[in-house]
Amino acid sequence: MISNNKSLLNESIDFNFHEVSQEAVRKVIEELNVKKSVLSNSISATFLKSHIDIYLPSITNIINNSFKNKVFPDELKYAEVTPIYKKGSNFDKENYRPISILSNFSKFEKIMFQQITQYIDSTLSPLLSGFRKNNSTQYSLLNMLEKWNNELDKGFKVGTIFMALSKAFDTINHNLLIAKLNAYSFSKPALSYILSYLRNRSQRTKINNTFSSWKHTNAGVPQGSVLGPLFFNIFINDIFNFVNQDRKSVV
């Protein structure tokens, strides 16, 4: 179900990606973590930082041309998936969480993240706490406990339903995500660019120094990216528009 969320935003403003400055790109490069894993054969964060003044104009130009042409480079759509053990039997593949290792250049999606967040963050439900700056799922738990205690103090009974989403990032339908973004007044050029970012991605599994063959992905957003959690939040945000928040609600 997709709600019409345009009433929640300024209807006269459509979201568009805008040209980025060299200083904004410099900041992204300087924030790269040299200790984090990176895609095999990718340029290291240390090298990028050491030669920032040489590459900065070219990288900025590539990003701005990418926005202008509404095409996310296919060369940046590769990911090596490392299975991270969670719990239970280590012989059961369901007990591993896939983490996508991306190239350092693909991490310039942070520019996209910053521009989208600036536009939509105030529209996301305050009940949506995961993957948000200055927020956490602990706030959701504290909010629920307070509501439960208030209702119990008034003599009401409290019932709750807990639901866990399995493989949530992996199963996001691209067309449905685009439809939801359209409902939030994302412009056609912005939607085209985001669809270009999502589609034609390839990944392979990496275990120690052994790799599988490359496979195309038809759904989902890459775990390990900054855009994955943001798109997931947007994907589920309109659920809260249908939650009645009076004292008899399930919140």
Side-chain angles (χ1 to χ4, degrees):
M1 184 180 296
I2 301 175
S3 62
N4 186 348
N5 300 297
K6 293 187 178 183
S7 61
L8 302 176
L9 299 158
N10 186 337
E11 294 188 22
S12 65
I13 300 176
D14 285 342
F15 171 78
N16 282 290
F17 291 104
H18 55 79
E19 195 171 272
V20 65
S21 68
Q22 288 191 24
E23 287 311 304
V25 177
R26 178 187 293 273
K27 185 175 181 180
V28 172
I29 295 174
E30 289 175 344
E31 291 177 350
L32 289 174
N33 189 339
V34 298
K35 295 182 179 180
K36 281 195 172 182
S37 300
V38 68
L39 190 73
S40 299
N41 301 323
S42 176
I43 296 176
S44 69
T46 301
F47 184 88
L48 283 173
K49 288 185 174 185
S50 300
H51 301 81
I52 187 171
D53 291 323
I54 298 174
Y55 290 103
L56 185 61
S58 297
I59 293 174
T60 305
N61 188 52
I62 290 171
I63 293 172
N64 286 329
N65 282 335
S66 180
F67 284 163
K68 180 180 178 181
N69 297 324
K70 300 180 288 296
V71 176
F72 191 87
D74 285 341
E75 293 81 3
L76 305 184
K77 296 180 184 178
Y78 289 88
E80 290 174 351
V81 178
T82 300
I84 304 298
Y85 174 72
K86 295 186 296 183
K87 60 181 180 179
S89 172
N90 55 8
F91 294 103
D92 186 349
K93 64 181 181 180
E94 300 298 326
N95 293 329
Y96 290 81
R97 179 165 60 98
I99 296 297
S100 297
I101 307 300
L102 309 172
S103 75
N104 275 316
F105 279 112
S106 72
K107 293 178 183 179
F108 288 107
E109 66 183 17
K110 189 174 183 179
I111 304 265
M112 298 170 61
F113 171 86
Q114 291 169 344
Q115 295 187 15
I116 294 173
T117 300
Q118 184 177 13
Y119 171 76
I120 204 170
D121 191 60
S122 62
T123 306
L124 297 179
S125 170
L127 300 176
L128 187 59
S129 298
F131 313 114
R132 300 183 72 181
K133 187 177 181 180
N134 300 323
N135 211 327
S136 75
T137 52
Q138 290 180 340
Y139 291 118
S140 290
L141 179 58
L142 291 172
N143 182 46
M144 287 189 294
L145 288 172
E146 183 177 0
K147 288 180 180 292
W148 294 340
N149 287 327
N150 287 340
E151 298 306 304
L152 291 172
D153 289 342
K154 296 174 185 177
F156 292 104
K157 294 182 179 180
V158 175
T160 62
I161 298 175
F162 294 92
M163 179 177 63
L165 301 179
S166 177
K167 302 186 184 303
F169 280 28
D170 298 332
T171 55
I172 290 179
N173 182 283
H174 294 163
N175 291 332
L176 184 53
L177 174 60
I178 293 298
K180 288 174 179 282
L181 292 171
N182 179 62
Y184 284 108
S185 296
F186 278 60
S187 68
K188 288 185 178 179
L191 294 175
S192 295
Y193 187 69
I194 292 171
L195 195 58
S196 174
Y197 167 83
L198 293 170
R199 288 185 170 172
N200 299 320
R201 303 192 73 90
S202 298
Q203 65 182 38
R204 64 180 179 180
T205 302
K206 177 184 178 182
I207 299 178
N208 297 324
N209 293 318
T210 303
F211 300 89
S212 70
S213 58
W214 290 103
K215 298 292 184 181
H216 289 294
T217 59
N218 299 316
V221 290
Q223 296 195 45
S225 68
V226 295
L227 280 175
L230 176 60
F231 284 148
F232 176 75
N233 277 347
I234 295 173
F235 192 78
I236 67 171
N237 185 62
D238 56 354
I239 292 175
F240 298 100
N241 293 339
F242 300 96
V243 175
N244 181 11
Q245 298 183 47
D246 63 19
R247 68 181 186 181
K248 296 180 181 179
S249 299
V250 177
V251 182

